[in-house]
């Protein structure tokens, strides 16, 4: 089997492929005077570019058509400058990719940009693009946004279309966007959904899940409470809340849902790319994966498959968790939850499967998805904003009720000081490589 090798070396591991000059010129002529550059995560279809999902096995041919989310961005002037690097097959939180390199934090290249949408977040943080598309299963927009110090918006599951995307879970997956301001993220949401951009809310009552305050890195804790102190003076009330029953159901469902849905999603994507039956294509994909933790994960799916009965139980847990979340937030009288995106700042790039956290070795995946994973089972919207600088990038996430995206974005705008940030560049923006 011949595999196209389209990886593009760069200092920060941001790209898997760049648009060539002819493609850029063609896009500019179509976009017109309002053209602006965007990066697109490598598992989202872009006409003329390879949807590799960060895996060489799938890096075989250019896509014939844009995914709907890309088409929506193009309609508003987007010029796709390249495909952004990611954790291979979106199965990780570091974007340490053995095939295409490791995506790293532009302001601190020793650190991981996070995953799985690390290249997209890094492209915005580096100032290469004002907006970038990513995808999110268990925190793959929120975590990179926090690591890189940019805004990340994970819409409610089902709000944005998932067609044209190599995914992991039809229950949890959604495309999302990275930006420098919440206002720009809200504008992108309006492009995709046709809804109005939400203004900042005047007042809101936020709940801090008490379990998410446990076992925090000292820098994360300081940045989080400093942000909340500022917010209290800007019309935001904050209270501690106990959502243990919701979290228990969501966490029990997380691995079971992905364990059933991911092999089927990946087999379908491989079958399409390789023109093989799904079972055979999945075996070719497994054999060709180059990133160690991804290979181990796929091996686990085969050695310990989720049964149909386990999956049915997991879907019941999903429904119970969603109902209970709505009831609990209403009973507590809070508009949304707020919490540190991850328990610790970005880990070292290339650091492996574990990280030193509070004097003990801890699973990178378990630690960095601890706060974001449950909300993806709920299908909730999440907006991540950077906390004030303390010598480390720390993200603060606002998690709203499912399909209450406009208010969630409005609350996040109140938390994030947009006054010194400019809106998305709309004219005269260079879309040359690296610009």
């Amino acid at each position: 089997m011949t595999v196209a090798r389209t990886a593009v070396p760069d200092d920060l591991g941001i790209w898997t492929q760049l648009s060539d000059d002819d493609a850029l010129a063609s896009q500019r002529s179509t976009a017109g005077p309002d053209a602006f550059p965007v990066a697109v995560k490598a598992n989202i279809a872009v006409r003329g570019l390879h949807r590799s999902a960060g895996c060489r096995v799938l890096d075989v041919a250019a896509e014939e058509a844009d995914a709907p989310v890309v088409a929506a961005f193009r309609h508003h002037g987007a010029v796709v400058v390249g495909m952004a690097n990611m954790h291979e097959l979106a199965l990780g939180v570091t974007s340490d990719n053995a095939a295409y390199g490791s995506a790293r934090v532009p302001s601190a290249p020793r650190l991981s940009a996070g995953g799985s949408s690390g290249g997209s977040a890094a492209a915005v943080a580096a100032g290469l693009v004002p907006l970038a598309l990513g995808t999110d299963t268990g925190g793959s927009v929120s975590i990179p946004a926090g690591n890189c110090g940019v805004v990340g918006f994970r819409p409610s599951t089902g709000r944005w279309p998932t067609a044209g995307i190599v995914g992991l879970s039809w229950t949890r997956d959604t495309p999302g966007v990275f930006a420098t301001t919440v206002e720009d993220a809200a504008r992108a949401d309006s492009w995709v959904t046709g809804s109005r951009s939400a203004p900042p809310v005047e007042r809101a009552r936020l709940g801090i899940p008490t379990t998410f305050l446990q076992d925090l890195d000292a820098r994360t804790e300081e940045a989080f409470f400093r942000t909340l102190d500022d917010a209290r003076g800007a019309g935001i009330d904050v209270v501690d809340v106990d959502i243990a029953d919701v979290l228990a159901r969501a966490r029990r469902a997380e691995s079971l849902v992905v364990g059933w849905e991911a092999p089927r999603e990946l087999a379908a994507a491989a079958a399409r790319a390789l023109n093989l039956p799904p079972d055979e294509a999945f075996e070719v994909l497994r054999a060709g994966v180059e990133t160690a933790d991804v290979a181990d994960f796929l091996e686990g799916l085969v050695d310990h498959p989720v049964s149909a009965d386990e999956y049915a139980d997991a879907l019941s847990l999903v429904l119970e968790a969603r109902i209970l979340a709505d009831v609990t937030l209403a009973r507590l009288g809070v508009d949304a939850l707020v919490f540190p995106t991850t328990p610790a700042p970005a880990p070292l790039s290339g650091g492996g499967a574990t990280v030193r956290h509070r004097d003990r070795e801890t699973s990178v995946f378990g630690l960095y998805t601890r706060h974001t994973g449950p909300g993806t089972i709920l299908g909730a919207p999440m907006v991540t904003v950077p906390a004030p600088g303390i010598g480390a990038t720390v993200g603060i996430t606002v998690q709203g009720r499912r399909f209450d995206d406009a208010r969630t974005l409005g609350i996040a705008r109140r938390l994030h000081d947009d006054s010194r940030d400019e809106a998305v560049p709309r004219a005269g923006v260079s879309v040359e490589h690296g610009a």
Side-chain angles (χ1 to χ4, degrees), residues 186-423:
R187 183 179 293 111
D189 180 62
S190 72
W191 295 343
V192 177
T193 66
S195 63
R196 286 186 175 185
S197 294
V201 300
E202 293 301 321
R203 298 201 63 83
R205 191 166 191 257
L206 304 183
I208 308 171
T210 51
T211 188
F212 288 177
L213 298 180
Q214 300 170 10
D215 198 33
L216 296 179
D217 181 281
R219 296 165 295 174
T220 299
E221 185 172 21
E222 178 186 349
F224 178 64
F225 283 108
R226 180 186 298 179
T227 300
L228 295 189
D229 286 343
D230 292 342
R232 285 187 177 96
I236 302 291
D237 297 324
V238 184
V239 296
D240 291 347
V241 296
D242 180 0
I243 58 167
D245 289 345
V246 176
L247 295 176
R249 287 168 171 79
R251 284 172 171 152
R252 282 163 55 198
E254 283 183 57
S255 61
L256 293 174
V257 167
V258 171
W260 176 271
E261 294 177 356
R264 289 158 176 80
E265 290 269 40
L266 293 174
R272 175 186 178 277
L274 304 175
N275 196 28
L276 293 172
D279 288 349
E280 185 178 342
F282 185 70
E283 290 307 311
V284 174
L285 184 66
R286 282 181 58 207
V289 162
E290 299 178 53
T291 306
D293 62 339
V294 178
D296 290 345
F297 182 86
L298 295 181
E299 193 72 22
L301 292 180
V302 173
D303 291 345
H304 306 285
V306 173
S307 70
D309 286 343
E310 289 175 317
Y311 181 56
D313 290 342
L315 292 182
S316 292
L317 288 169
V318 171
L319 293 174
E320 289 176 14
R322 290 178 177 180
I323 293 168
L324 186 57
D326 286 343
V327 170
T328 301
L329 292 184
R331 175 174 54 82
L332 296 170
V334 297
D335 298 293
L337 303 176
V338 63
F339 48 82
T341 308
T342 56
L348 291 173
S349 178
T354 63
V355 63
R356 194 76 178 168
H357 176 64
R358 293 175 62 91
D359 297 325
R360 69 180 186 280
E361 287 297 315
T362 304
S363 161
V364 170
F365 186 89
L367 181 67
Y368 284 86
T369 61
R370 192 178 83 187
H371 295 174
T372 57
T376 68
I377 287 291
L378 302 178
M382 300 185 201
V383 186
T384 297
V385 299
I390 55 165
T393 53
V394 171
I396 309 298
T397 293
V398 177
Q399 177 182 308
R401 305 184 192 194
R402 191 178 186 201
F403 295 124
D404 195 15
D405 296 55
R407 184 159 179 80
T408 306
L409 285 160
I411 293 169
R413 284 186 67 180
R414 179 62 67 191
L415 283 179
H416 187 235
D417 180 12
D418 284 350
S419 62
R420 54 190 171 83
D421 297 317
E422 296 179 357

Side-chain angles (χ1 to χ4, degrees), residues 45-48 63-71 74 80 164:
V46 175
R47 184 178 183 179
E63 293 295 313
E64 295 181 2
D66 290 331
V69 289
V70 174
R74 284 203 203 271
V80 179

